[in-house]
Amino acid sequence: MRGLRKYAFKFFWGVFVLFIMGFFLLPLLWLVTAPFDAKATLRVAIPSKFTFANFQAIFRNTFAVRALFLNSIVIAGGTMLGVTLFATLAAYALARLNIRGRDILAYLLVLFSSVVQGTAAMVPIFLLLFHLKLIDTYPGVIFVLIGGLLPTGIFLMRDFVAGIPKSYEESALVSGARPWQVLRDVLLPVLRPGMMVLAVWSFVQAWGDFLISLIVMRSPAKMPAPIAIYSFYTEGGTPVLTLVSAYSLIYALPVVFLYLFVNWRYGFRFFGGIKGGGR
Amino acid sequence: MQKKPSSLVLSRSTGLIFLAPALLFIALFLFFPLVWVLIISFTDTTLTGPAAANPSFVGISNYTGLFDFSRWMRLGNFGNALRNTIIFVLGSAILGQVPLGLAIALAFHRRKGLLREIVFSLATIAWILPGVAVAFAWIAFLDRDFGTFNALLALLGLPKIDWYFDYPLLAIIIFNIWRGTAFSMLLFSAALGNIPPSYWETADVIGASSWQRFRDIIFPLIRSNLFTALILVTLWTFNVFTPYLITGGGPLYRSETVPIYTYRVAFKFFEFGKGAAIAVVMMTINFILASFYLLMQRRRVG
Amino acid sequence: MKRVHYLAVISLGLLIGVSCLAEPITLTVTSRAVRGGVNTQLVEWLEDTVFPAFVQWMKGQGKDVVVKFIPFGGSDEELKQQYALDLKVGRGADILGFDGFWIPEFDAAGLVKPLDEIVGPQVWDWDGWAYIPQGMREILGYKGKVYGLALGTDVRVIFYRRDLFEKAGIIPPGSGLRWQPRSWEELLNTARYIKKVLPDVIPLQINAGTDMGEATTMQGWFMVLLGTGIHMYDFESGKWYGEHPGILDALNFYKTVYVDEKLGDARLQLISGGRARTFELFRDGKIAMLVEGDWFWRSVLAPGSEWAIPNRNEVVDWAMMPAKEPGAGYRGQNFVTISGGTGFILNPNTAHPEEAWALMSFAFSREMQLEFQKIEPRIRSRTDVPVVGDPVMSEMARALLQYTTVRPMLPGYPKISYQAQLMTERVVSGQMTPEEAMAAYAEALKEIVGPENVIVVKVK
């Protein structure tokens, strides 16, 4: 009887896992079949006319290529560096300094950031950047994105940092290391996995940004990929499926590679949780 | 000169230096727009039209206009958007992403191997792919005539579902579950991983069943993580805009959530005064929800 | 030491001075167009033909100019928003591709100005004005002033598939006869007949709903409403029709087509991206009649387009939209249509108003416009630039320009247009009855323009 229950349990587990795999995989299939089909439709099918011509057409559109391989990378990369660096520093400071009400502050900031990332804040951001002479510049977009992502970034890092026992720093200091040495040799390696996750997360957020770039950028030479994808629409405002699917695929790949790399090298996990336990 | 400051590596001044850049960015690119939004929510500011040249102070009329109870539930008005959003958040976050993420984390708890890597990677990829790309993929997936979902149903001999026409809200709920589960999954996976093995050994020794393990070991230990997940996921889901790329808020505003409604008000007619009021209301609702979660989290922690 | 110092300063000064003199003037033009993408013909015409010729011409006058086109690949709404932001802070390209009916709201916000206020009265010295009639000037005009020049105008018709009509026996095959309904009843009867004889085909599709935006108002609502004898706006009194028997008749037309008799597929009007689907279905012969603008012919069905029909001249034909009954249409007409238009305006913030105007008037010279006609034949704003190369377009122009009217150029129009779209959507989806929808429309209008500007004619 016990064996039957165990068997049934395993069976349901297997069904569940299969279902989950299918659930996450199926919607993505179109992105890997349609770009290779000369007559792409919304169907997922083995391409009737297998071709790389869609990609060739994409690469002829220099505006879109530049958007993806230059602009998106600069914007997402800059944001990633800024958020990772500043959020880690701030999270560490918050975790180690005993500032009163820091928890509430963290929550409030996350709350406020949600307003600013919406469309309502479009105009003040535009006006602010205009007065700072940052319209149509990479730093303009990057700064706004950093500002919007920092609160959540700090929030995510905070738990991670808080989970690192002070004993690491204490013992290093006791053995005579100067503070900045402690930072570099002890803390950084320990913080690194969390920073990697933060880096991926912030890169991904910035990589997908549409609204801020639309407001800030003016020259087509600086527009990132989500805006450039509209150049593959017809005059009537409908997407040309062959081109749009190919571009979407190329646009999706960098973040996938980034994730796979970080996952392989550092392990992509969250490290928050209960203090005082082994890992 | 302090011999032993409150923190060891960090003196107070160094700590503030560490905080400085983040605070600068936040002050400039968060607080300033926020204050601006607050102020103009009491005006009739627009970008074009007569009010653009001469915006005037209109008191709370932007707010009362949102809550005009005689009309607000009409499709296309705020009440409708709010109701849709509540259903959306309930369905895709509270009853969707968080439990599903937990279920996956539990299913692979203490199991390593290829299967785990595949499942986790797939879920995470769904989470990190750029919105534009997944929007297209989902438009294709749920298309009535050509979509993969209906193709599967056909294989099973079931009739087609016209998702975007008949069940648009449900469609975006399912989409959002797909999109965001990874976060909860990763969070709970980490939390579960932090439970000391001794607990499991004890459970084995006393022969606890799976349900008992869950109720008595797992749940209490991950309780605070549960609330963290709920807060963040609720907040994010409340504000997510990607579904717009799939249904456009339609048909007939049946899948219009508050962010999409804000976008329509602010972009179509550039009515920023109204848009600002909506944003402030949203933030207030989020604040109430977050406070509620925090209270629940703090209770009985002792 | 001092002499060297002196020399350095002078040479530096000279260098700066000379470079200032030699600095070419850069003019920028922007529009919703991308080479190889949306509106590619516009880019080709400008960059390959107009700009080089203009630079050459200017050189001959001793001026050094550089002209650049700045593409924009987003949607119309996004472009409008960019313009609003740019103009607000004094930026933007020198010449902007603009839709005429944006002008009232931009002007009310102080963001755009009439041509003669930007350049000066010498604007009127241009010889092209003699060939641009009043009606054409009004496309980019407001309150009697002219803000820019229109690339052309357009008309709306009923496109129908000859092959399906012949198959159904409405037109004897090979007869060359053309179908032309003279009333709504004839139109509906044709639709009913097709529904009976060709059950797999959608007989009639006419735009409704908010998803298609202004396309609903122009190709759908106006086409039906004008047939009842009224416009959306009464130009004489300066008021908007909120309730009127004509509006009710128009709504009942929609109800007949989409709700009662299912002569059209309501779903296509209500889902996101439905318009593209209607193009697809028409191309594949699944829709028999589609009410659209001439843009549909010259761009959507044209060879090389995504929905191109290879033998379009044989299988596609068009008919004028009839009034409800002969003589019952707007201005007592038997047939109705409406025209819109986009074109270019001058940016009031431009650093070089004279040169920018020179460029614009150059682009709208007879020679340049004829060049454009070669690439994209359509109804142009100059009377001395006929439609060439496309007899169907010429015929449409000839037949319909006499019946056409324009949208009211007022700041409130976009919002009211949206209310009209919403009204049709509510009826077509069955959400409201025509009476309820009209009442809601009138209510919304009163809020937008004030109750004193809304005409209410009760239906008996």
Side-chain angles (χ1 to χ4, degrees):
Chain A
M1 223 25 225
R2 180 74 61 83
L4 192 67
R5 270 226 351 235
K6 207 168 169 197
Y7 185 72
F9 188 69
K10 267 199 147 33
F11 176 71
F12 284 121
W13 182 92
V15 167
F16 176 66
V17 169
L18 211 65
F19 168 74
I20 289 293
M21 273 175 59
F23 177 61
F24 284 113
L25 184 63
L26 283 176
L28 292 174
L29 286 180
W30 185 79
L31 275 178
V32 296
T33 59
F36 299 100
D37 194 337
K39 287 189 172 249
T41 62
L42 293 173
R43 240 188 263 274
V44 167
I46 317 263
S48 53
K49 265 185 108 185
F50 190 92
T51 177
F52 287 112
N54 298 336
F55 294 101
Q56 285 173 335
I58 302 277
F59 283 103
R60 269 200 293 269
N61 184 340
T62 48
F63 159 66
V65 169
R66 197 191 151 91
L68 207 163
F69 290 106
L70 180 67
N71 301 330
S72 277
I73 292 193
V74 169
I75 292 174
T79 308
M80 171 180 85
L81 289 172
V83 173
T84 309
L85 184 63
F86 300 140
T88 306
L89 287 176
Y92 181 69
L94 277 181
R96 292 292 181 252
L97 296 178
N98 283 317
I99 302 176
R100 280 181 50 185
R102 61 185 174 179
D103 274 352
I104 311 287
L105 189 69
Y107 277 114
L108 277 178
L109 285 180
V110 171
L111 210 61
F112 294 154
S113 68
S114 65
V115 170
V116 161
Q117 292 188 307
T119 50
M122 187 177 106
V123 176
I125 289 180
F126 180 79
L127 291 175
L128 178 65
L129 289 176
F130 176 72
H131 288 295
L132 292 174
K133 305 233 182 307
L134 289 175
I135 292 287
D136 203 26
T137 62
Y138 291 120
V141 179
I142 294 175
F143 288 171
V144 174
L145 284 171
I146 292 178
L149 292 172
L150 269 178
T152 315
I154 295 175
F155 193 89
L156 291 174
M157 259 324 247
R158 197 188 55 136
D159 259 5
F160 175 59
V161 172
I164 296 175
K166 289 191 186 170
S167 52
Y168 285 8
E169 301 147 62
E170 283 172 13
S171 48
L173 280 174
V174 159
S175 43
R178 310 223 350 231
W180 65 269
Q181 280 177 323
V182 179
L183 211 63
R184 190 192 65 188
D185 298 327
V186 176
L187 282 174
L188 209 58
V190 176
L191 285 172
R192 192 169 19 226
M195 286 171 73
M196 286 295 123
V197 171
L198 192 63
V200 171
W201 176 79
S202 53
F203 185 89
V204 159
Q205 298 295 110
W207 186 252
D209 166 69
F210 175 82
L211 273 179
I212 311 259
S213 306
L214 185 67
I215 300 167
V216 179
M217 291 308 197
R218 285 286 171 269
S219 339
K222 296 200 184 127
M223 301 280 200
I227 297 178
I229 206 171
Y230 285 100
S231 58
F232 297 115
Y233 276 52
T234 63
E235 184 178 317
T238 57
V240 178
L241 290 178
T242 46
L243 301 176
V244 148
S245 60
Y247 196 68
S248 295
L249 182 61
I250 305 178
Y251 176 47
L253 287 177
V255 288
V256 174
F257 288 144
L258 182 66
Y259 162 74
L260 289 175
F261 171 72
V262 169
N263 190 33
W264 167 69
R265 196 86 189 283
Y266 304 96
F268 189 86
R269 314 190 278 287
F270 287 174
F271 303 89
I274 323 248
K275 297 191 198 22
R279 204 167 287 147
Chain B
M1 155 89 185
Q2 282 174 294
K3 262 274 159 100
K4 221 177 185 207
S6 55
S7 149
L8 303 160
V9 178
L10 227 47
S11 66
R12 199 158 192 98
S13 49
T14 322
L16 285 174
I17 294 178
F18 276 15
L19 272 176
L23 287 181
L24 179 67
F25 273 100
I26 289 174
L28 212 54
F29 297 104
L30 204 79
F31 273 127
F32 169 72
L34 189 71
V35 169
W36 195 93
V37 164
L38 219 70
I39 293 177
I40 65 154
S41 70
F42 298 107
T43 69
D44 64 355
T45 306
T46 59
L47 208 52
T48 60
N54 298 309
S56 45
F57 184 71
V58 292
I60 58 167
S61 67
N62 284 335
Y63 291 95
T64 53
L66 290 173
F67 292 100
D68 177 359
F69 291 119
S70 64
R71 288 201 273 147
W72 79 328
M73 274 301 174
R74 283 227 200 117
L75 294 179
N77 285 344
F78 180 66
N80 173 59
L82 191 59
R83 178 188 52 193
N84 286 344
T85 311
I86 291 174
I87 298 176
F88 180 64
V89 169
L90 232 98
S92 79
I94 301 176
L95 298 174
Q97 290 178 24
V98 173
L100 187 60
L102 180 58
I104 300 177
L106 282 171
F108 284 100
H109 173 228
R110 297 199 297 166
R111 271 177 234 264
K112 293 209 187 304
L114 187 62
L115 214 52
R116 181 186 201 270
E117 286 308 307
I118 294 180
V119 170
F120 272 57
S121 291
L122 278 178
T124 311
I125 287 174
W127 184 47
I128 63 173
L129 281 183
V132 172
V134 300
F136 282 120
W138 270 79
I139 291 174
F141 183 59
L142 290 185
D143 187 70
R144 180 188 69 170
D145 303 315
F146 303 108
T148 315
F149 189 88
N150 282 342
L152 269 178
L153 287 182
L155 264 174
L156 295 170
L158 296 168
K160 292 202 264 205
I161 301 182
D162 191 354
W163 284 103
Y164 295 125
F165 196 63
D166 294 325
Y167 308 108
L169 195 55
L170 187 57
I172 61 170
I173 287 176
I174 297 178
F175 163 73
N176 198 247
I177 295 177
W178 179 87
R179 179 89 164 134
T181 297
F183 176 74
S184 304
M185 175 187 80
L186 291 168
L187 188 83
F188 288 125
S189 181
L192 287 173
N194 274 349
I195 297 178
S198 54
Y199 281 71
W200 302 120
E201 285 156 19
T202 317
D204 284 335
V205 162
I206 64 172
S209 73
S210 306
W211 169 247
Q212 283 172 324
R213 286 178 204 238
F214 182 79
R215 190 191 59 195
D216 299 328
I217 304 178
I218 297 179
F219 188 73
L221 287 176
I222 63 166
R223 194 158 174 255
S224 79
N225 287 286
L226 182 68
F227 284 110
T228 308
L230 279 173
I231 293 178
L232 284 178
V233 170
T234 303
L235 232 58
W236 286 340
T237 308
F238 234 104
N239 292 298
V240 77
F241 187 71
T242 321
Y244 175 76
L245 300 173
I246 304 179
T247 60
L252 295 163
Y253 312 114
R254 290 192 357 232
S255 65
E256 183 169 81
T257 56
V258 179
I260 299 175
Y261 176 72
T262 317
Y263 176 80
R264 199 157 55 80
V265 165
F267 260 54
K268 276 215 141 142
F269 301 118
F270 302 130
E271 287 174 325
F272 288 112
K274 284 208 188 123
I278 301 171
V280 171
V281 169
M282 277 257 278
M283 191 177 72
T284 313
I285 296 177
N286 287 341
F287 179 73
I288 294 173
L289 280 173
S291 312
F292 175 68
Y293 285 136
L294 276 174
L295 278 169
M296 298 269 291
Q297 188 180 39
R298 298 222 163 168
R299 263 205 277 155
R300 301 199 294 137
V301 158
Chain C
M1 204 49 221
K2 227 190 177 161
R3 200 183 285 175
V4 173
H5 202 201
Y6 224 10
L7 227 59
V9 170
I10 291 183
S11 23
L12 199 64
L14 267 174
L15 255 165
I16 296 176
V18 165
S19 65
C20 274
L21 276 176
E23 184 84 32
I25 295 177
T26 307
L27 293 174
T28 48
V29 180
T30 196
S31 184
R32 182 171 169 247
V34 174
R35 190 181 275 271
V38 61
N39 276 329
T40 179
Q41 297 119 325
L42 181 68
V43 189
E44 286 160 23
W45 171 62
L46 285 174
E47 286 185 344
D48 301 341
T49 311
V50 178
F51 291 172
F54 179 72
V55 170
Q56 205 59 11
W57 181 57
M58 284 307 246
K59 221 182 241 173
Q61 307 198 338
K63 290 198 201 172
D64 199 5
V65 227
V66 171
V67 191
K68 287 202 214 141
F69 180 77
I70 303 181
F72 181 79
S75 72
D76 261 337
E77 259 156 28
E78 281 150 16
L79 182 62
K80 186 180 175 192
Q81 169 225 332
Q82 288 229 321
Y83 282 163
L85 289 172
D86 276 340
L87 290 171
K88 188 181 166 77
V89 293
R91 293 173 46 109
D94 298 295
I95 297 180
L96 307 171
F98 225 69
D99 191 324
F101 88 100
W102 292 346
I103 292 180
E105 57 182 305
F106 274 71
D107 179 85
L111 298 173
V112 297
K113 290 201 167 56
L115 285 174
D116 48 13
E117 280 178 36
I118 302 176
V119 187
Q122 65 267 37
V123 149
W124 298 109
D125 295 338
W126 180 51
D127 57 10
W129 292 116
Y131 300 99
I132 300 186
Q134 191 58 25
M136 289 300 179
R137 295 187 201 187
E138 279 166 9
I139 292 178
L140 286 177
Y142 179 51
K143 288 196 188 148
K145 305 226 165 216
V146 180
Y147 289 70
L149 293 168
L151 277 172
T153 187
D154 47 18
V155 289
R156 280 126 186 93
V157 298
I158 309 174
F159 286 99
Y160 65 94
R161 301 260 331 197
R162 277 190 81 82
D163 51 346
L164 293 176
F165 272 46
E166 288 180 3
K167 197 160 151 204
I170 301 172
I171 300 178
S175 64
L177 286 174
R178 301 179 67 204
W179 170 75
Q180 179 58 67
R182 288 177 196 293
S183 68
W184 285 3
E185 204 49 35
E186 279 187 34
L187 172 58
L188 290 172
N189 281 337
T190 311
R192 289 169 185 136
Y193 186 68
I194 293 178
K195 189 175 168 83
K196 209 169 64 172
V197 170
L198 299 172
D200 297 334
V201 170
I202 300 172
L204 173 64
Q205 201 69 26
I206 181 166
N207 287 353
T210 57
D211 185 70
M212 298 188 183
E214 190 62 13
T216 292
T217 318
M218 290 294 266
Q219 276 86 271
W221 180 242
F222 264 120
M223 294 297 269
V224 180
L225 183 68
L226 289 170
T228 69
I230 56 164
H231 197 291
M232 278 175 75
Y233 178 76
D234 181 13
F235 289 92
E236 303 277 306
S237 64
K239 299 187 192 196
W240 298 83
Y241 287 101
E243 288 188 33
H244 193 278
I247 298 180
L248 208 55
D249 285 341
L251 290 175
N252 276 313
F253 179 85
Y254 273 104
K255 182 159 176 281
T256 309
V257 171
Y258 285 110
V259 182
D260 299 336
E261 299 185 36
K262 305 256 193 302
L263 300 168
D265 186 355
R267 185 178 176 270
L268 290 173
Q269 299 305 138
L270 299 171
I271 58 172
S272 186
R275 193 165 182 216
R277 274 312 190 104
T278 62
F279 296 165
E280 210 181 287
L281 291 168
F282 188 81
R283 175 198 64 189
D284 297 339
K286 293 275 183 279
I287 292 182
M289 294 182 274
L290 182 63
V291 182
E292 264 290 343
D294 63 47
W295 165 78
F296 183 65
W297 171 264
R298 64 182 156 80
S299 202
V300 176
L301 294 178
S305 143
E306 195 185 348
W307 298 284
I309 299 181
N311 50 347
R312 130 188 108 139
N313 284 63
E314 280 120 51
V315 301
V316 178
D317 204 347
W318 59 276
M320 298 188 283
M321 180 74 185
K324 187 170 172 214
E325 272 141 22
Y330 186 60
R331 298 193 207 122
Q333 293 171 183
N334 299 332
F335 303 102
V336 295
T337 192
I338 186 166
S339 300
T342 64
F344 290 97
I345 63 166
L346 281 186
N347 188 334
N349 307 312
T350 176
H352 312 285
E354 275 160 31
E355 288 79 5
W357 168 242
L359 174 58
M360 191 147 103
S361 47
F362 187 83
F364 281 87
S365 64
R366 180 160 189 267
E367 297 75 30
M368 289 295 119
Q369 290 287 297
L370 281 171
E371 288 294 321
F372 203 2
Q373 283 295 58
K374 289 188 199 158
I375 309 177
E376 194 193 348
R378 64 179 290 196
I379 308 170
R380 298 270 165 213
S381 43
R382 287 183 71 122
T383 53
D384 57 350
V385 177
V387 183
V388 284
D390 192 341
V392 172
M393 284 298 309
S394 320
E395 177 63 23
M396 272 194 226
R398 195 200 55 78
L400 281 157
L401 283 176
Q402 55 181 316
Y403 293 122
T404 195
T405 179
V406 290
R407 292 169 287 191
M409 294 285 259
L410 296 167
Y413 173 75
K415 288 193 195 166
I416 296 182
S417 169
Y418 168 74
Q419 288 299 324
Q421 297 158 24
L422 193 57
M423 180 168 57
T424 61
E425 189 169 80
R426 287 170 166 158
V427 169
V428 161
S429 66
Q431 206 187 103
M432 285 190 185
T433 67
E435 288 77 8
E436 289 168 346
M438 182 169 74
Y441 175 71
E443 207 181 292
L445 249 58
K446 286 179 189 158
E447 272 179 30
I448 298 173
V449 292
E452 65 281 3
N453 289 320
V454 178
I455 303 172
V456 172
V457 175
K458 284 290 179 193
V459 178
K460 289 174 217 7

